[in-house]
Amino acid sequence: MTNSNSRQSEYPVDPLFLDRWSPRAFDGGAMPHEHLLTILDAAHWAPSASNQQPWRFVYAHKDSENWPLFVELLVEANQRWAKNASVLLFVISRSYNISREGEKKPSGTHSFDAGAAWFSLAMQAHLLGYHAHGMAGILKDQIVEKLDVPDGYKVEAAVAIGTMTDKGVLPDDLAEREVPSKRLPLSDVAFEGRFIVKAD
C-alpha cells in the first residue's frame, strides 16, 4: 500500500496518483502561456483511438477578453470558485471517426478517448505544480452556441486549472469540503470474470 496526501491505496501505486486531486481553492494568478501549451501537448499524446484523436480543447486565460464568458458557461455553483482559476477550458469530443476513404462513421468511444486526454492533462498540470479540477456542471447548449462548436462534436466537461492556495479563500460550505477524497474499495469496482452488483 501507499500513503500520501492523506490517502492510502490498497496496493503499492505510485504516490503521483494519490497526490493528484481536485481542489477548488485557487490563487487567481496568471499561468504562463507556455505552461498551458505544455499541459495541452501532454493531453494530445493520450492514446489516440486508431489515431483519430477525437478530443478538442477550447480555453481562456484569466483576465483575457474571453474569461467572463467562460465563467458564465459554468453553472453558478462552479462559478463561485472556478472564477479564481488561472485557466478554464472545455473538453469536446468528435462523435464520429473518418475512414481511410473519408467516410464519417459514428464513434462508440469518443467520450472514453476524451477522458484519457483529460487525465493526461490533469497529470501534466500536477507535474508542473498546478491542479486541474474537472466539472460536469456546465451549460452545454450555451457552450455549443457561444463557442461555435460544430455538429458532430459533443461538449464533455470543463476543467479549471490553477495554483492551489489556502481554503480560506472559499465560502465556508466549500472550505469544509476542501480535502482530498477517498475511494471505494477496489473490490467494489473491479470484478474478475463477471460483473458483480454492489450497493451504491
Side-chain angles (χ1 to χ4, degrees):
M1 68 182 63
T2 302
N3 289 283
S4 190
N5 198 26
S6 75
R7 293 163 148 179
Q8 180 175 298
S9 67
E10 296 177 54
Y11 296 90
V13 303
D14 192 287
L16 180 67
F17 294 96
L18 303 182
D19 293 341
R20 186 224 62 81
W21 68 294
S22 302
R24 293 179 178 86
F26 291 120
D27 69 2
M31 177 189 294
H33 193 57
E34 294 76 14
H35 285 190
L36 178 59
L37 293 180
T38 296
I39 290 167
L40 294 173
D41 197 7
H44 104 283
W45 283 102
S48 67
S50 298
N51 212 28
Q52 293 287 326
Q53 303 175 53
W55 47 79
R56 301 292 185 271
F57 309 101
V58 183
Y59 62 84
H61 285 268
K62 187 175 178 65
D63 296 329
S64 69
E65 63 177 338
N66 294 313
W67 185 257
L69 172 61
F70 274 56
V71 174
E72 290 172 7
L73 293 172
L74 309 176
V75 299
E76 187 174 350
N78 285 331
Q79 290 182 26
R80 297 170 67 202
W81 59 268
K83 64 185 179 183
N84 294 322
S86 301
V87 168
L88 287 172
L89 65 84
F90 296 103
V91 181
I92 299 166
S93 65
R94 192 183 70 194
S95 62
Y96 58 86
N97 292 329
I98 302 176
S99 70
R100 292 182 180 177
E101 295 75 30
E103 182 182 359
K104 293 181 180 180
K105 298 183 177 181
S107 168
T109 63
H110 60 95
S111 293
F112 174 83
D113 301 319
W118 136 249
F119 189 67
S120 297
L121 179 159
M123 296 305 277
Q124 181 62 63
H126 179 75
L127 290 169
L128 287 175
Y130 300 102
H131 285 76
H133 188 129
M135 295 171 275
I138 56 179
L139 305 177
K140 290 188 177 183
D141 290 343
Q142 291 188 37
I143 292 167
V144 170
E145 176 188 352
K146 295 184 178 182
L147 302 187
D148 298 325
V149 179
D151 290 342
Y153 287 79
K154 178 186 176 186
V155 177
E156 299 284 357
V159 181
I161 311 173
T163 302
M164 188 172 66
T165 191
D166 186 89
K167 65 181 181 180
V169 302
L170 295 170
D172 290 344
D173 61 318
L174 295 180
E176 291 176 3
R177 300 166 54 192
E178 191 71 349
V179 293
S181 59
K182 308 301 182 185
R183 294 294 183 267
L184 294 169
L186 184 60
S187 60
D188 281 7
V189 300
F191 320 118
E192 183 173 0
R194 63 184 179 87
F195 193 96
I196 300 173
V197 177
K198 299 279 189 171
D200 290 333

